[in-house]
Every structure is written in C-alpha cells, then in structure tokens.
Amino acid sequence: PAAPGAVAAAFPGRRFDVVVDNNAKKVGDVEEVAKLAAERGAKQMLFVSSAGMYSKSEVLPHVEGDAVKTSAGQYEVEKYLLETVSIPAASFRPQYIIGPLSSKLEYVNYFFDRIVAGVPVPIPGPAELLTSVSHIDDVVGMLVAAVTHPAACENEIFNVASGRFVSLGGFVRMCAKAAGREDSVKIVPFDAKKVEKKSFPFRPQHFITSTAKAEVRLGWSSTKPLQEALNEVFAAYQGTGKTEFPEDQEMLDAAV
C-alpha cells in the first residue's frame, strides 16, 4: 500500500464522480483509496478483481455466486468494498486479460513465442479443455456500462469474458492463424499431473465464466471476437527473441 496520506496528496483538492481500482491485492491496498473516494464525493467505487478466485467445479460455466477461494486477497478486497465502504461499490472478475497494453502479456506470449520460433506448443491434455479470456476493451466496456447503470450494479459482482469459449487446442490454432503459421503449428498435449513446474499460463482444466448477469443487468455485450482480438495482439507483439525453451522439456516428456 501507499504511504499514509500519499493518495490524497497526489490529488490535492480533487473531487471524483467514480473511482476505479485495478491494483489492490489485499485490503490494505485499497483502504485509503476507498476512504478518499467517499470524502471527495464519489458516487461509485469500482474494483477490477479476478475470476482466478473461483474454486474448481464440475458445474460450469462459473457464475457469480459460485464457491471461491476465500484466502484470495482479491476476495478480501471485494468483501471489504461491498460490505464496508460507505459508497456504492461493484466488483468485476475478468479471466485472463489480453490486449496490446495488458499487464500480463505472458498469457499470449507463451503461444506466440513458440509458434514464431517454430517449436512445439505444449498444452495440458486433453486439447479439448475449455477456457475463456477477457480482452481489455471488453473489461473497459463493462466498467463504462456500470457507470451508466449505477443502480443495477450497486454492491454487485460481475464476471467479464470476451466472446465464446474456446478449447486450449483451438486457442493455439487461433494464435497460429494470427501469426500466419496455422499450417505449421504443432500442438503437444501433456499430462499436467506429471509436471511439477507450472510454465503453462492457463489452468489445466475446464475454466469458463458466464457473463449473463452483466448482459442482463448492465446491457453489456462483448465487442471483441477472439480471432480479431488475437490478430490485434499479435500485431503489437514484440517477441522475446527466444528460440529455445528448456522449461518445456518436462511438459514434452509428459506428452499423451
């Protein structure tokens, strides 16, 4: 967290209509921000949380009332904002944020690095495991929808995901298409239970979330088809220059 008073000092005399926090990982990270928001007249406090807190389930896609890992720092932040702060709050749970300016480029660089280098792309088997991702434009679009529909999102939680679900194998092929390498990509499914080092960026399981609540309550809808999103991300891809991936050997040795 920032030093006491640092947030207020950074915005002397400023008043706010809406405050968005996309940084907090524990309550201490957000307490001063929430206090300042209330003191400076904010009508809403919006928090960009994470779908990563959902516990593994046999019933999918995940909806907002599903069981979560209560030890997750972002869950504690959600609970604090939705139950404690004096102004209306809402929380948004994106899954695997992608986009040219997203903070976790490894979500897609894992695939692009190997495809561009012309080496096999290890993925947890079976290749039909389903996932979903969230383009940054869709995350921002839902935040805007929350601002324009304040009563509909007061003290509520919403999942964020872009477009349709996709298999892990399908995601690799879409990345390869974005890179112009769809005819040469080689996918190697591996047994995740036999791999200790977790180099693969996604969960080795079905992991999908429903955005129906946001669609109904906020009138939100995804505007980024996945292939279009990946084309855009690859256009901004800088590459790492890697041509060898020794960390992949354990996954390749566990090929199924």
Side-chain angles (χ1 to χ4, degrees):
V7 177
F11 301 96
R14 292 281 298 275
R15 294 188 66 79
F16 309 103
D17 297 315
V18 179
V19 172
V20 179
D21 188 304
N22 69 340
N23 174 69
K25 302 296 188 294
K26 57 183 182 296
V27 171
D29 295 338
V30 77
E31 284 178 311
E32 186 176 354
V33 175
K35 180 181 178 182
L36 185 67
E39 291 175 349
R40 301 286 183 86
K43 301 298 188 293
Q44 280 181 300
M45 178 85 189
L46 307 180
F47 174 53
V48 181
S49 183
S50 172
M53 71 174 69
Y54 284 118
S55 300
K56 188 174 182 179
S57 175
E58 294 181 338
V59 181
L60 296 169
H62 286 292
V63 296
E64 289 81 356
D66 283 357
V68 299
K69 302 167 187 172
T70 56
S71 60
Q74 285 147 322
Y75 168 76
E76 295 176 356
V77 174
E78 285 187 352
K79 188 174 177 65
Y80 169 75
L81 291 175
L82 298 178
E83 298 180 5
T84 306
V85 301
S86 60
I87 58 177
S91 183
F92 303 85
R93 295 175 178 173
Q95 179 182 342
Y96 303 138
I97 296 178
I98 66 170
L101 299 178
S102 61
S103 62
K104 291 188 176 180
L105 295 176
E106 64 266 25
Y107 285 150
V108 288
N109 283 359
Y110 173 94
F111 304 97
F112 287 146
D113 285 347
R114 289 158 178 77
I115 290 166
V116 170
V119 301
V121 182
I123 64 172
E128 292 77 22
L129 289 173
L130 294 175
T131 194
S132 52
V133 298
S134 308
H135 191 278
I136 188 62
D137 287 357
D138 283 333
V139 178
V140 172
M142 193 175 293
L143 295 174
V144 171
V147 172
T148 56
H149 298 79
C153 67
E154 184 172 339
N155 298 330
E156 295 287 348
I157 296 169
F158 298 92
N159 290 332
V160 190
S162 296
R164 301 166 67 183
F165 309 139
V166 62
S167 69
L168 295 181
F171 191 84
V172 177
R173 284 184 282 273
M174 294 176 84
C175 287
K177 183 175 182 179
R181 310 288 181 90
E182 55 190 315
D183 293 332
S184 59
V185 65
K186 182 179 180 182
I187 300 170
V188 179
F190 64 87
D191 185 346
K193 294 179 181 179
K194 296 181 179 179
V195 175
E196 290 188 14
K197 184 178 172 74
K198 307 302 181 185
S199 301
F200 188 75
F202 296 165
R203 289 188 183 186
Q205 64 188 61
H206 291 303
F207 185 32
I208 53 179
T209 58
S210 169
T211 58
K213 181 177 176 180
E215 292 166 17
V216 172
R217 294 202 180 189
L218 304 180
W220 173 90
S221 61
S222 172
T223 62
K224 279 287 183 180
L226 182 54
Q227 188 64 64
E228 177 185 327
L230 290 172
N231 293 347
E232 178 184 286
V233 174
F234 186 75
Y237 170 71
Q238 298 298 312
T240 61
K242 291 180 67 175
T243 57
E244 298 182 358
F245 303 87
E247 68 272 23
D248 289 3
Q249 193 57 54
E250 186 181 11
M251 294 182 284
L252 295 172
D253 288 344
V256 295

